[in-house]
Amino acid sequence: MQDLPGELSDIVAVMVGVSVEGPYSYRVPAGLSVVRGSIVAVPLVGRSTLGVVWGAPADNFAHNRLKDVERVFDVPPLSEELLRTVDWVSRYTLSPPGLVLRSVLRSSEALEPERAVTAFRATGLEPEKLTRSREKVLDLLMDGEAWAKAALVGASGVSASVIEGLERSGAIERLEVPPPPIVLRPDPDAAPPTLSAEQQAALDQIRSLEVDRFGVALLDGVTGGGKTEVFFEAVADTLRAGRQALILLPEIALSNTFLTRFARRFGTRPGEWHSDMTPVQRARTWRGVADGTIRAVVGARSALFLPFHELGMIVLDEEHDGAFKQSDGVNYHARDMAVVRARFAGARVILSSATPSVESRNNANQGRYKHVLLTSRFAEAALPDISPIDMREEPPDKGQWIAPRLAREVFATLDRGEQALLFLNRRGYAPLTLCKSCGHQYQCPDCSAWLVEHRFRGVLMCHHCGHEQRTPKSCSACGADDSLIAIGPGIERVAEEAAARFPGARMVILSSDMGSHTQLKQRFAEIETGEYDLIIGTQLVAKGHHFEKLSLVGVLDADLGLDRGDPRAAERTFQILTQVTGRAGRASRAGKAFLQTYHPTHPVIQAMIRGDREAFYAHELAAREAGGLPPFGRLAALIISANEHDPAFEFARRLLSAAPMAEGLKLFGPADAPIAMIRGRHRVRLLAQSGKDFDLSGYVRFWLDNGPKATGNLRVQVDIDPQSFM
Ligand SMILES: [Zn+2]
Ligand SMILES: [Zn+2]
């Protein structure tokens, strides 16, 4: 298929936004004209479907059965770089291109012209009768401008009928005007900050990447080091150069603080793109990005597929965050795909993190990314002093989870009028419930996972599928009364212990299931103003909140997640421990952190205690290299699922035996996935591992195209570069 610039002939290939493998041919009827990237409506199996003109058809002979393009939408055609990104993502993730295209065509409302707004303007004629109310309206319209009806009502305080009366009298006339823009143009010179010498040096390094060419910088700096100010200045450069900027964030819903910061720097809020928006906001933002009126967008990962035409910069803040990986539909990682899109767009990328992913650190070490370091904290605040508590030597009393030494530190902190945080990355009351009479263990009916007790809500809940049931009074297996016991701690259980041990402390529990986003935001604000002494939290508290008075962090289970058979376990543990201990002493006071651990000699725990992040990266990179794991090798996971276990396993075995031989390629499995059943589907896993220069996506596609086909309720899901091994 050719990529013809400019106008195409009367038969074109159209990629439709459904799960198909390639474009279909359509005829362009007289009177319509299209170019590559034009967004069109075409008939597909009897219904009108959105699609994008992909180019000339593969076979150019005119046959009569071709259907006509129904409509060409009056929006700018998609940019060449976006079309190439769609193709690339499709090939890399093994997702049908039409499915990837759906991430672009997210808002069909955006394709329709925006509805005009009713406005009024003075005609200069005097009305016959001039009341006080009419006078108010005419006074406002003295400026000669057209006023939107709603604005006129609001400013004058009169009713709509007064305005309509004036219109009938001929004193004012009605106009239809375009609606005001959804956001104003950001001003790169609105409020430039005063940067520290180190921040300025970091910015200078980023500026050594040319503003109109592809380049990637890893902005690698401690929490509180002022990374945001630095990348805002790079965004300002991009805006000055007449190009658009995109800032991607994990968990956008909790980032109102960030949007306000943006507004303070640039004089107006950015365009926003996240799941909390109304369809109308979505449509207007999409259109504003496409027609270039929106110059900067702050959004969640799917903003990567917005129809920019002048994209000059993509920033990923917290680039290591797992939220950038999408794992349903198209399995893509927004960090990697951002680099791909930026390459096609000739744009710069800034990856920002206090704990960069091992992949990005390796790219920086190899010189592929510019490594920009910010090592000192603002206001001379020291990094916290981190100590281990060896749980084999100083264990908590039976039935408790807080070791005596940590408890003493909490008391001392509270006595000084400062805040303490107890961290456990596990929601609920207890991860396992069993009956002490018969030993029955409560398990999800649809998943191979224990039900987690949530005592506040009185339920047992599955964290994989959301199944929940009331916590029974008597054992559902043997009928014994009050025989259920909780095994192990969750955050609610720690809170129960803390309430008993630190009476009088004002305590708050922070976990994603403890309220709506609005309620959680409120809790964070209350902590900042010092309304609580003791914070009990999950990883929700680890992310980007400034707590001025917090000087002690206790991690109750630093080993959680370390000993799973997951190649990324050490990295994730290092990242979360760094983030959560970084909460201590962010302002002017030095903080302390304690890690309760059974493995004080583990490299991750050692790196934490010594404050030696370089040691962690060095150790982890060496371990990955020795194992041929990413970024030194490639992985692809195939999850074969079915309603029954044996057919899934049997199919996986057949698939494995059909795998083509290739040099340096290793295949593992079939094996039951670590979570062998989710939502009633049995899951069997195959894993392919290759060297880093091997086209693993291409290999897996060839394998699946030529291997046995999944039929009936069998399904094969491919995850290239899996982040989770569940
Ligand atoms: Zn029982
Ligand atoms: Zn479940």
Side-chain angles (χ1 to χ4, degrees), residues 19 53 123 150 153 163 165 186 196 213 254 308 346 355 431 492 566 714:
S19 185
V53 174
T123 57
V153 169
I163 292 166
S196 71
R213 284 181 60 182
L254 279 173
F308 293 97
T355 50
E492 294 177 10
D566 178 338
L714 274 165

Side-chain angles (χ1 to χ4, degrees), residues 579-637:
Q579 284 169 4
V580 72
T581 56
R583 298 291 132 220
R586 282 193 61 149
S588 48
R589 64 203 88 204
K592 277 189 195 175
F594 291 88
L595 307 179
Q596 296 191 164
T597 174
Y598 287 92
H599 307 284
T601 57
H602 191 286
V604 169
I605 306 289
Q606 282 293 310
M608 293 301 305
I609 295 163
R610 300 208 189 103
D612 190 354
R613 61 205 295 276
E614 293 310 308
F616 165 74
Y617 284 110
H619 180 272
E620 185 64 17
L621 283 166
R624 300 263 186 108
E625 188 161 21
L629 292 167
F632 303 97
R634 293 179 183 278
L635 293 176

Side-chain angles (χ1 to χ4, degrees), residues 444 446-447 462 465 467:
C444 176
D446 299 320
C447 307
C462 172
C465 72
H467 164 88

Side-chain angles (χ1 to χ4, degrees), residues 325-345:
K325 171 85 177 187
Q326 169 153 309
S327 51
D328 47 344
V330 183
N331 280 325
Y332 69 91
H333 198 300
R335 179 186 62 230
D336 302 340
M337 298 310 120
V339 171
V340 168
R341 185 166 183 188
R343 188 188 304 265
F344 292 141

Side-chain angles (χ1 to χ4, degrees), residues 444-449 451 462-467 677-679:
C444 176
D446 299 320
C447 307
S448 51
L451 291 175
C462 172
H463 284 184
H464 295 284
C465 72
H467 164 88
M677 182 165 85
I678 294 183
R679 291 188 167 88

Side-chain angles (χ1 to χ4, degrees), residues 337-565:
M337 298 310 120
V339 171
V340 168
R341 185 166 183 188
R343 188 188 304 265
F344 292 141
R348 295 183 297 165
V349 179
I350 297 178
L351 306 176
S352 173
S353 175
T355 50
S357 61
V358 169
E359 275 87 349
S360 295
R361 259 309 290 256
N362 185 56
N363 280 322
N365 291 355
Q366 303 296 316
R368 281 189 290 271
Y369 297 172
K370 189 170 281 288
H371 197 181
V372 182
L373 282 161
L374 267 180
T375 50
S376 51
R377 292 183 138 193
F378 267 145
E380 304 299 311
L383 285 165
D385 182 25
I386 302 174
S387 318
I389 294 179
D390 189 334
M391 297 287 271
R392 297 164 305 182
E393 284 171 12
E394 354 173 20
D397 289 343
K398 195 165 159 34
Q400 296 192 331
W401 316 100
I402 305 168
R405 180 143 63 102
L406 179 56
R408 287 196 296 276
E409 292 286 344
V410 173
F411 276 121
T413 306
L414 299 177
D415 280 349
R416 289 195 302 272
E418 294 169 359
Q419 289 174 325
L421 163 67
L422 295 177
F423 174 82
L424 178 67
N425 202 13
R426 196 189 273 139
R427 294 180 288 136
Y429 184 84
L432 170 61
T433 300
L434 62 76
C435 167
K436 66 181 179 223
S437 304
C438 73
H440 177 69
Q441 301 179 334
Y442 284 81
Q443 198 178 353
C444 176
D446 299 320
C447 307
S448 51
W450 305 125
L451 291 175
V452 178
E453 182 184 1
H454 286 246
R455 194 163 283 190
F456 289 172
R457 293 176 43 224
V459 296
L460 298 175
M461 180 179 173
C462 172
H463 284 184
H464 295 284
C465 72
H467 164 88
E468 58 178 59
Q469 60 194 64
R470 303 297 307 169
T471 307
K473 290 256 181 299
S474 49
C475 173
S476 45
C478 71
D481 283 332
D482 296 322
S483 66
L484 301 189
I485 50 173
I487 307 292
I491 201 77
E492 294 177 10
R493 195 169 196 181
V494 171
E496 184 181 87
E497 180 184 343
R501 293 179 74 169
F502 313 111
R506 294 166 305 166
M507 196 172 84
V508 63
I509 309 177
L510 281 179
S511 133
S512 56
D513 57 344
M514 300 301 274
S516 65
H517 279 311
T518 319
Q519 289 168 322
L520 289 170
K521 271 186 218 168
Q522 184 61 30
R523 294 293 92 75
F524 280 113
E526 290 162 1
I527 295 170
E528 278 173 51
T529 56
E531 283 179 45
Y532 300 104
D533 310 308
L534 188 54
I535 304 146
I536 317 273
T538 61
Q539 66 173 357
L540 193 71
V541 298
K543 302 200 172 168
H545 297 276
H546 302 242
F547 302 141
E548 184 81 15
K549 288 176 69 190
L550 184 65
S551 65
L552 175 73
V553 171
V555 177
L556 295 187
D557 187 353
D559 309 330
L560 193 62
L562 264 187
D563 42 24
R564 288 218 201 99

